[in-house]
Amino acid sequence: MAGEPQDDCLFCKIVAGHVPATIVRETETTVAFRDINPQAPTHVLIIPRAHYKDAAALATAEPALAADLLCEAQAVADEEKLDSYRVVFNTGAGAGQTVFHTHAHVLGGRGLEWPPG
């Protein structure tokens, strides 16, 4: 069921404290932690505590929670002292999503080319 923790979801296990992560911020609705395979000097993932498979599902079901993720992206950028940064939501395997629990990547600390590759 949408929003409910999934037993086979890595990010649900991080939220529950069953899998370790380097957590940088937590709110009532979100958890932010460092990516284990960083693509920039700052690479933080922000996830909702509730399980939704991707950003589209989250935005449809709980737009306020989707907004929480974006607010947390700014908070992470502020704490990391990033003057500029990128927020990325990969939606679907073809776009590079490997964990099917909504997550925003906050990337910064180096120049980021466009278009991304």
Side-chain angles (χ1 to χ4, degrees):
M1 173 181 281
E4 296 297 320
Q6 305 294 304
D7 291 337
D8 61 344
C9 174
L10 173 63
F11 290 171
C12 287
K13 291 176 184 178
I14 289 173
V15 168
H18 301 306
V19 171
T22 304
I23 295 175
V24 297
R25 287 185 55 82
E26 289 187 82
T27 70
E28 257 184 53
T29 60
T30 65
V31 177
F33 54 94
R34 300 217 182 269
D35 194 295
I36 62 170
N37 185 25
Q39 301 300 304
T42 296
H43 189 167
V44 174
L45 301 178
I46 305 168
I47 64 173
R49 290 182 181 275
H51 181 93
Y52 290 91
K53 69 176 185 159
D54 57 36
L58 174 63
T60 299
E62 292 196 55
L65 182 51
D68 286 351
L69 291 183
L70 291 174
C71 289
E72 279 304 297
Q74 181 63 57
V76 166
D78 290 345
E79 286 186 3
E80 298 285 322
K81 297 179 178 31
L82 298 175
D83 292 329
S84 60
Y85 61 95
R86 182 173 290 161
V87 177
V88 176
F89 289 93
N90 296 323
T91 301
Q97 186 177 6
T98 58
V99 177
F100 292 88
H101 180 124
T102 305
H103 56 287
H105 297 256
V106 177
L107 300 142
R110 69 167 174 84
L112 299 168
E113 297 178 15
W114 193 261

